[in-house]
Amino acid sequence: MEKLAGLIIRLRWFLIAMVVLLTAFFGFHLVQITINSDIISTLPEDDPIAGLYLSVGDEFGGNDMGMIVLETDVVLTNEVLLDVHRITDSIMFMDGIATVTSLTNVMDIRSSEWGIEIGKLIDPYDLPVEQQVLDHLGAYIDSVDMYRGSLISEDGTSTVIMFTLTGDADHQVVARGIRDMTEGMDIHGTLFFGGVPMMMYDVNSLILSDITLLVPLVFVLIAVLLFISFRNWRGIVLPLLTAGIAVIWTMGLMSWTGYELTVITNIIPVVLLAIGSAYSIHVINSVQLHLSGDPSGGLARGIAAISVPVVLASVTTAIGFVSFVFGAYLTMIREFGVFTAAGTLFSLLLSLTFVPAMLAITHRSQGIPESRAYSKQTGVYLPQRVLLPLVNMVLRYPGRLMVVWGASIVLFVSGIFLIQTSINMIYYFKPHFPTRIAEDLLQEKFGGSTPLFVVFEGDLQDPELLQKMDRTASYMKGDPNVGVTQSVADLIAQMNDAMDAGHKVPDDRAKIEQLWFLLEGQDIMPQLVNSTLDRGVISGRF
């Protein structure tokens, strides 16, 4: 190992130049890295439920549902309804939007003197003004499950505009466009944004803010500890510089190979700062120890003495991270394992090449002073005040310590069985965060925002299949966690009820076909059935 250490010292300028070039290369790609906050995209491509979820989006006009809540004193006023109409029309024509549903464009089924009348709940071009008309509208909305608690809250103080995104939509662009457009309007009330697309936009922002906050914070904390330990600029700068370069290489490699930052991989920089600085600390520590006893050959001896322990520590750590590839189901956890392992090996490589090269240059020009941590006047520093007392305690009371640690292990292992899992994205946000407030409002007044789909295959005009869909929807709404459901069976039942035949799916196929004919051409139909009428969906929220 001493020969290899000597070679590294002789090639010090070449090694430093290579590090600078590679850092410039990966740094160029690092600034182009993108963020992916879509949890669904991290599921394996062969996952059956993820595949079904995506197929629902492709076949029924989008599965990524966003919501805009307008909260005011009273929704059913001319001014507020005009605001709802303006927002609905503005969103409808944005790129990436598949469907928009609100009070001012939702389909309405009611009986009339001519039989069944299918139109809009509210004519957006003739919004009601008189209070008597508005009161009558409110009474009608209260009598229809399709509207009450779905599009307007039961207390009448909030309404929701729902939209879905097309399969090829850029979630970030659409969410940002909706926010900018609606927040620029003069609205009679307060706007809240919820649903998966809007949450993903906020998660994207949080990932950026986490990185910009945590990375400098970790740098400062590590720098303070290095200052306490080494008390010289090499012991502070070189570990931080090495770890920083490892982070740049790793994140640049991610971008170069086409991977994106996720809610998991965004913690890689923080992990590598801790891991990467440790290997450099060991190298610097060993060099300073050997230089104090052998100034002439201490540099090579110090590098040779620590190389094997550092390599073993690094390789075992990298293997631990690589194990995520074989044990994790989500692709973002696999990516975390692969790139953190790569960053660990980068840190090892830099610690055994770049750090010795830098030490060799500074040693040749100025000499490396003995660290005050190892001088005779070290009583006020870390080793004598903390580490040596700890060592003495371990040597004096090994049996007692084994008992303490044995009991601790039993306690902590038992705690493993108390761990609970949760995948609700809303808990990514603090209670006071606007998105969390919006989601709490949606859960309280509109039955939640998380989409739920049940797909049926078969002849969608068959009474038996439609009745099974109707029973399934009733079962779903019986669950306290499911607030709203909608399907073509609901529409058929509503139309049957409008004809005074009861709120149920008819047993007669011919009657179903007659009712179906009246639904053809309605905007809502492509969201509920496919073009060949052999696949239908119950869409709900929980």
Side-chain angles (χ1 to χ4, degrees), residues 37-38 53 63-67 96-97 163-166 169-176 178-179 193-204 425 429 435 439 449 451:
S37 52
D38 184 6
Y53 181 80
N63 52 24
D64 288 325
M65 182 170 58
M67 297 180 172
I97 296 294
F163 59 91
T164 58
L165 275 60
T166 58
D170 187 323
H171 292 70
Q172 298 300 311
V173 172
V174 173
R176 188 185 309 113
I178 288 175
R179 283 180 179 270
F193 303 93
V196 173
M198 309 308 289
M199 280 195 290
M200 287 169 54
Y201 176 79
D202 287 326
V203 169
N204 187 85
M425 287 181 61
F429 305 97
T435 301
E439 290 299 321
S449 68

Short mmCIF file of all heavy atoms in Angstrom, two decimals, residues 37-38 53 63-67 96-97 163-166 169-176 178-179 193-204 425 429 435 439 449 451:
data_model
loop_
_atom_site.label_atom_id
_atom_site.label_comp_id
_atom_site.label_asym_id
_atom_site.label_seq_id
_atom_site.Cartn_x
_atom_site.Cartn_y
_atom_site.Cartn_z
N SER A 37 -42.14 14.56 -8.55
CA SER A 37 -42.85 14.37 -7.28
C SER A 37 -44.04 13.44 -7.44
O SER A 37 -44.85 13.30 -6.52
CB SER A 37 -43.33 15.73 -6.74
OG SER A 37 -44.05 16.45 -7.75
N ASP A 38 -44.16 12.77 -8.59
CA ASP A 38 -45.27 11.86 -8.86
C ASP A 38 -44.99 10.49 -8.25
O ASP A 38 -44.11 9.76 -8.71
CB ASP A 38 -45.50 11.74 -10.37
CG ASP A 38 -46.71 10.89 -10.71
OD1 ASP A 38 -47.43 10.50 -9.78
OD2 ASP A 38 -46.93 10.62 -11.90
N TYR A 53 -54.56 1.96 -12.92
CA TYR A 53 -54.74 3.39 -12.63
C TYR A 53 -54.38 4.24 -13.85
O TYR A 53 -55.12 5.17 -14.21
CB TYR A 53 -53.88 3.76 -11.43
CG TYR A 53 -53.99 5.21 -10.99
CD1 TYR A 53 -55.05 5.64 -10.21
CD2 TYR A 53 -53.03 6.13 -11.36
CE1 TYR A 53 -55.15 6.96 -9.81
CE2 TYR A 53 -53.12 7.45 -10.96
CZ TYR A 53 -54.19 7.86 -10.18
OH TYR A 53 -54.28 9.17 -9.79
N ASN A 63 -56.85 10.74 -14.75
CA ASN A 63 -57.05 10.25 -13.40
C ASN A 63 -56.42 11.16 -12.35
O ASN A 63 -56.64 10.97 -11.15
CB ASN A 63 -56.47 8.83 -13.25
CG ASN A 63 -55.03 8.74 -13.72
OD1 ASN A 63 -54.32 9.74 -13.75
ND2 ASN A 63 -54.61 7.56 -14.11
N ASP A 64 -55.63 12.12 -12.78
CA ASP A 64 -55.03 13.07 -11.85
C ASP A 64 -56.02 14.20 -11.63
O ASP A 64 -56.19 15.08 -12.47
CB ASP A 64 -53.71 13.61 -12.41
CG ASP A 64 -52.61 12.57 -12.36
OD1 ASP A 64 -52.60 11.78 -11.41
OD2 ASP A 64 -51.77 12.55 -13.27
N MET A 65 -56.68 14.18 -10.50
CA MET A 65 -57.76 15.13 -10.22
C MET A 65 -57.28 16.22 -9.29
O MET A 65 -56.78 15.96 -8.20
CB MET A 65 -58.95 14.39 -9.62
CG MET A 65 -60.14 15.28 -9.32
SD MET A 65 -61.61 14.31 -8.89
CE MET A 65 -61.00 13.39 -7.48
N GLY A 66 -57.44 17.45 -9.72
CA GLY A 66 -57.14 18.60 -8.89
C GLY A 66 -58.41 19.34 -8.52
O GLY A 66 -59.45 19.17 -9.17
N MET A 67 -58.33 20.14 -7.49
CA MET A 67 -59.51 20.86 -7.01
C MET A 67 -59.14 22.27 -6.60
O MET A 67 -58.07 22.51 -6.02
CB MET A 67 -60.13 20.13 -5.81
CG MET A 67 -60.64 18.74 -6.12
SD MET A 67 -61.35 17.97 -4.65
CE MET A 67 -62.05 16.50 -5.36
N GLY A 96 -53.18 20.75 -21.29
CA GLY A 96 -53.00 19.72 -20.27
C GLY A 96 -54.26 19.42 -19.47
O GLY A 96 -54.25 18.49 -18.67
N ILE A 97 -55.32 20.19 -19.66
CA ILE A 97 -56.57 19.96 -18.92
C ILE A 97 -57.48 19.06 -19.75
O ILE A 97 -57.76 19.35 -20.93
CB ILE A 97 -57.28 21.28 -18.60
CG1 ILE A 97 -56.41 22.11 -17.65
CG2 ILE A 97 -58.65 21.03 -17.99
CD1 ILE A 97 -56.22 21.51 -16.29
N PHE A 163 -60.92 19.43 -11.72
CA PHE A 163 -60.36 19.27 -13.05
C PHE A 163 -59.47 18.04 -13.09
O PHE A 163 -58.93 17.61 -12.06
CB PHE A 163 -59.56 20.52 -13.47
CG PHE A 163 -58.41 20.85 -12.54
CD1 PHE A 163 -57.14 20.33 -12.77
CD2 PHE A 163 -58.59 21.67 -11.45
CE1 PHE A 163 -56.08 20.62 -11.93
CE2 PHE A 163 -57.53 21.97 -10.59
CZ PHE A 163 -56.28 21.45 -10.84
N THR A 164 -59.36 17.45 -14.26
CA THR A 164 -58.44 16.33 -14.46
C THR A 164 -57.44 16.69 -15.54
O THR A 164 -57.72 17.53 -16.42
CB THR A 164 -59.19 15.05 -14.86
OG1 THR A 164 -59.94 15.29 -16.07
CG2 THR A 164 -60.14 14.60 -13.76
N LEU A 165 -56.27 16.05 -15.49
CA LEU A 165 -55.20 16.33 -16.44
C LEU A 165 -55.11 15.24 -17.49
O LEU A 165 -55.44 14.07 -17.23
CB LEU A 165 -53.86 16.43 -15.71
CG LEU A 165 -53.48 17.78 -15.10
CD1 LEU A 165 -54.51 18.22 -14.07
CD2 LEU A 165 -52.09 17.73 -14.47
N THR A 166 -54.68 15.60 -18.67
CA THR A 166 -54.44 14.62 -19.71
C THR A 166 -53.21 13.80 -19.36
O THR A 166 -52.38 14.20 -18.53
CB THR A 166 -54.23 15.31 -21.07
OG1 THR A 166 -53.11 16.22 -20.96
CG2 THR A 166 -55.47 16.10 -21.48
N ALA A 169 -49.80 15.56 -19.79
CA ALA A 169 -49.69 16.90 -19.22
C ALA A 169 -48.47 17.01 -18.31
O ALA A 169 -48.11 16.06 -17.62
CB ALA A 169 -50.95 17.25 -18.43
N ASP A 170 -47.84 18.18 -18.33
CA ASP A 170 -46.77 18.49 -17.39
C ASP A 170 -47.42 19.03 -16.12
O ASP A 170 -47.94 20.15 -16.09
CB ASP A 170 -45.83 19.54 -18.00
CG ASP A 170 -44.60 19.79 -17.14
OD1 ASP A 170 -44.73 19.79 -15.90
OD2 ASP A 170 -43.50 19.99 -17.70
N HIS A 171 -47.40 18.22 -15.05
CA HIS A 171 -48.11 18.59 -13.83
C HIS A 171 -47.63 19.92 -13.27
O HIS A 171 -48.44 20.73 -12.80
CB HIS A 171 -47.93 17.49 -12.77
CG HIS A 171 -48.62 16.22 -13.09
ND1 HIS A 171 -48.22 15.38 -14.11
CD2 HIS A 171 -49.72 15.63 -12.54
CE1 HIS A 171 -49.01 14.33 -14.16
NE2 HIS A 171 -49.93 14.45 -13.23
N GLN A 172 -46.33 20.16 -13.32
CA GLN A 172 -45.79 21.38 -12.75
C GLN A 172 -46.27 22.60 -13.52
O GLN A 172 -46.65 23.61 -12.93
CB GLN A 172 -44.25 21.32 -12.74
CG GLN A 172 -43.69 20.19 -11.90
CD GLN A 172 -44.11 20.29 -10.45
OE1 GLN A 172 -43.99 21.34 -9.85
NE2 GLN A 172 -44.61 19.20 -9.89
N VAL A 173 -46.24 22.51 -14.84
CA VAL A 173 -46.66 23.63 -15.68
C VAL A 173 -48.14 23.93 -15.48
O VAL A 173 -48.55 25.08 -15.33
CB VAL A 173 -46.35 23.34 -17.16
CG1 VAL A 173 -46.94 24.43 -18.06
CG2 VAL A 173 -44.84 23.24 -17.38
N VAL A 174 -48.96 22.88 -15.48
CA VAL A 174 -50.40 23.07 -15.32
C VAL A 174 -50.72 23.64 -13.95
O VAL A 174 -51.49 24.60 -13.83
CB VAL A 174 -51.15 21.73 -15.54
CG1 VAL A 174 -52.63 21.90 -15.21
CG2 VAL A 174 -50.99 21.25 -16.97
N ALA A 175 -50.15 23.07 -12.90
CA ALA A 175 -50.43 23.54 -11.55
C ALA A 175 -50.00 25.00 -11.37
O ALA A 175 -50.73 25.81 -10.79
CB ALA A 175 -49.74 22.65 -10.52
N ARG A 176 -48.81 25.33 -11.90
CA ARG A 176 -48.34 26.71 -11.78
C ARG A 176 -49.25 27.65 -12.57
O ARG A 176 -49.58 28.76 -12.11
CB ARG A 176 -46.90 26.81 -12.29
CG ARG A 176 -46.27 28.18 -12.04
CD ARG A 176 -44.88 28.28 -12.67
NE ARG A 176 -44.04 27.17 -12.29
CZ ARG A 176 -43.61 26.24 -13.14
NH1 ARG A 176 -43.98 26.30 -14.41
NH2 ARG A 176 -42.83 25.27 -12.73
N ILE A 178 -52.45 27.26 -13.28
CA ILE A 178 -53.73 27.42 -12.59
C ILE A 178 -53.60 28.37 -11.42
O ILE A 178 -54.44 29.26 -11.20
CB ILE A 178 -54.25 26.04 -12.13
CG1 ILE A 178 -54.72 25.23 -13.34
CG2 ILE A 178 -55.38 26.20 -11.13
CD1 ILE A 178 -55.15 23.82 -13.01
N ARG A 179 -52.55 28.22 -10.65
CA ARG A 179 -52.34 29.12 -9.51
C ARG A 179 -52.18 30.57 -9.97
O ARG A 179 -52.82 31.48 -9.44
CB ARG A 179 -51.10 28.70 -8.72
CG ARG A 179 -51.33 27.49 -7.82
CD ARG A 179 -50.05 27.16 -7.08
NE ARG A 179 -50.19 26.03 -6.19
CZ ARG A 179 -50.56 26.10 -4.92
NH1 ARG A 179 -50.84 27.27 -4.40
NH2 ARG A 179 -50.66 25.02 -4.18
N PHE A 193 -56.15 25.30 -2.97
CA PHE A 193 -55.82 24.36 -4.05
C PHE A 193 -55.51 23.00 -3.46
O PHE A 193 -54.70 22.88 -2.54
CB PHE A 193 -54.62 24.87 -4.85
CG PHE A 193 -54.82 26.25 -5.43
CD1 PHE A 193 -54.41 27.38 -4.73
CD2 PHE A 193 -55.43 26.41 -6.65
CE1 PHE A 193 -54.60 28.64 -5.24
CE2 PHE A 193 -55.63 27.67 -7.18
CZ PHE A 193 -55.21 28.80 -6.47
N GLY A 194 -56.17 21.96 -3.98
CA GLY A 194 -55.96 20.62 -3.48
C GLY A 194 -55.96 19.60 -4.60
O GLY A 194 -56.05 19.94 -5.78
N GLY A 195 -55.86 18.33 -4.21
CA GLY A 195 -55.79 17.27 -5.19
C GLY A 195 -54.35 16.92 -5.52
O GLY A 195 -53.41 17.67 -5.22
N VAL A 196 -54.17 15.77 -6.17
CA VAL A 196 -52.83 15.26 -6.44
C VAL A 196 -51.97 16.21 -7.27
O VAL A 196 -50.81 16.47 -6.91
CB VAL A 196 -52.93 13.87 -7.12
CG1 VAL A 196 -51.54 13.39 -7.55
CG2 VAL A 196 -53.54 12.85 -6.16
N PRO A 197 -52.45 16.78 -8.39
CA PRO A 197 -51.57 17.66 -9.18
C PRO A 197 -51.07 18.86 -8.39
O PRO A 197 -49.90 19.25 -8.51
CB PRO A 197 -52.47 18.10 -10.35
CG PRO A 197 -53.51 17.05 -10.46
CD PRO A 197 -53.76 16.60 -9.05
N MET A 198 -51.95 19.46 -7.58
CA MET A 198 -51.54 20.64 -6.82
C MET A 198 -50.60 20.24 -5.68
O MET A 198 -49.65 20.97 -5.36
CB MET A 198 -52.77 21.36 -6.26
CG MET A 198 -53.85 21.65 -7.30
SD MET A 198 -53.22 22.50 -8.78
CE MET A 198 -52.86 24.13 -8.15
N MET A 199 -50.84 19.06 -5.07
CA MET A 199 -49.93 18.59 -4.02
C MET A 199 -48.55 18.30 -4.60
O MET A 199 -47.53 18.58 -3.98
CB MET A 199 -50.50 17.36 -3.33
CG MET A 199 -51.56 17.67 -2.30
SD MET A 199 -51.90 16.26 -1.21
CE MET A 199 -52.72 15.17 -2.34
N MET A 200 -48.52 17.71 -5.81
CA MET A 200 -47.23 17.40 -6.44
C MET A 200 -46.45 18.67 -6.70
O MET A 200 -45.21 18.70 -6.57
CB MET A 200 -47.47 16.62 -7.72
CG MET A 200 -47.89 15.18 -7.50
SD MET A 200 -48.46 14.36 -9.01
CE MET A 200 -47.07 14.64 -10.09
N TYR A 201 -47.15 19.73 -7.08
CA TYR A 201 -46.49 21.01 -7.31
C TYR A 201 -45.85 21.52 -6.03
O TYR A 201 -44.71 22.00 -6.02
CB TYR A 201 -47.51 22.03 -7.83
CG TYR A 201 -46.96 23.42 -8.01
CD1 TYR A 201 -46.20 23.75 -9.14
CD2 TYR A 201 -47.21 24.41 -7.07
CE1 TYR A 201 -45.69 25.03 -9.30
CE2 TYR A 201 -46.72 25.70 -7.23
CZ TYR A 201 -45.96 26.00 -8.35
OH TYR A 201 -45.46 27.27 -8.51
N ASP A 202 -46.57 21.38 -4.91
CA ASP A 202 -46.03 21.84 -3.63
C ASP A 202 -44.91 20.94 -3.13
O ASP A 202 -43.95 21.41 -2.52
CB ASP A 202 -47.15 21.92 -2.59
CG ASP A 202 -48.08 23.10 -2.85
OD1 ASP A 202 -47.59 24.14 -3.32
OD2 ASP A 202 -49.29 22.98 -2.59
N VAL A 203 -45.05 19.62 -3.37
CA VAL A 203 -43.97 18.70 -3.00
C VAL A 203 -42.70 19.07 -3.75
O VAL A 203 -41.59 19.05 -3.21
CB VAL A 203 -44.37 17.23 -3.28
CG1 VAL A 203 -43.16 16.31 -3.16
CG2 VAL A 203 -45.45 16.79 -2.30
N ASN A 204 -42.84 19.41 -5.03
CA ASN A 204 -41.71 19.84 -5.84
C ASN A 204 -41.02 21.04 -5.20
O ASN A 204 -39.79 21.10 -5.10
CB ASN A 204 -42.21 20.18 -7.25
CG ASN A 204 -41.08 20.48 -8.21
OD1 ASN A 204 -40.51 19.59 -8.81
ND2 ASN A 204 -40.76 21.75 -8.39
N MET A 425 -50.16 11.45 1.15
CA MET A 425 -49.26 12.55 0.82
C MET A 425 -49.52 13.80 1.66
O MET A 425 -48.63 14.64 1.81
CB MET A 425 -49.39 12.91 -0.66
CG MET A 425 -48.76 11.90 -1.61
SD MET A 425 -48.92 12.42 -3.33
CE MET A 425 -48.00 13.96 -3.33
N PHE A 429 -46.98 17.53 4.59
CA PHE A 429 -47.08 18.96 4.85
C PHE A 429 -47.41 19.22 6.31
O PHE A 429 -48.15 18.48 6.94
CB PHE A 429 -48.19 19.59 3.97
CG PHE A 429 -48.02 19.32 2.50
CD1 PHE A 429 -48.71 18.29 1.89
CD2 PHE A 429 -47.18 20.10 1.74
CE1 PHE A 429 -48.56 18.04 0.54
CE2 PHE A 429 -47.02 19.86 0.39
CZ PHE A 429 -47.71 18.83 -0.22
N THR A 435 -51.49 23.90 1.50
CA THR A 435 -51.99 22.66 0.89
C THR A 435 -52.64 21.77 1.93
O THR A 435 -53.68 21.14 1.67
CB THR A 435 -50.84 21.91 0.20
OG1 THR A 435 -50.27 22.74 -0.81
CG2 THR A 435 -51.34 20.63 -0.46
N GLU A 439 -56.52 20.52 1.93
CA GLU A 439 -56.91 19.11 2.00
C GLU A 439 -57.83 18.85 3.19
O GLU A 439 -58.77 18.06 3.10
CB GLU A 439 -55.67 18.23 2.07
CG GLU A 439 -54.87 18.18 0.78
CD GLU A 439 -55.67 17.61 -0.37
OE1 GLU A 439 -56.43 16.64 -0.17
OE2 GLU A 439 -55.55 18.13 -1.49
N SER A 449 -60.15 14.28 -1.50
CA SER A 449 -59.65 14.62 -2.83
C SER A 449 -58.90 13.47 -3.50
O SER A 449 -58.52 13.58 -4.66
CB SER A 449 -58.70 15.82 -2.74
OG SER A 449 -57.51 15.46 -2.05
N PRO A 451 -58.49 10.22 -5.50
CA PRO A 451 -59.38 9.50 -6.41
C PRO A 451 -59.42 8.00 -6.13
O PRO A 451 -58.45 7.41 -5.68
CB PRO A 451 -58.78 9.78 -7.79
CG PRO A 451 -57.33 10.04 -7.52
CD PRO A 451 -57.27 10.71 -6.17
#
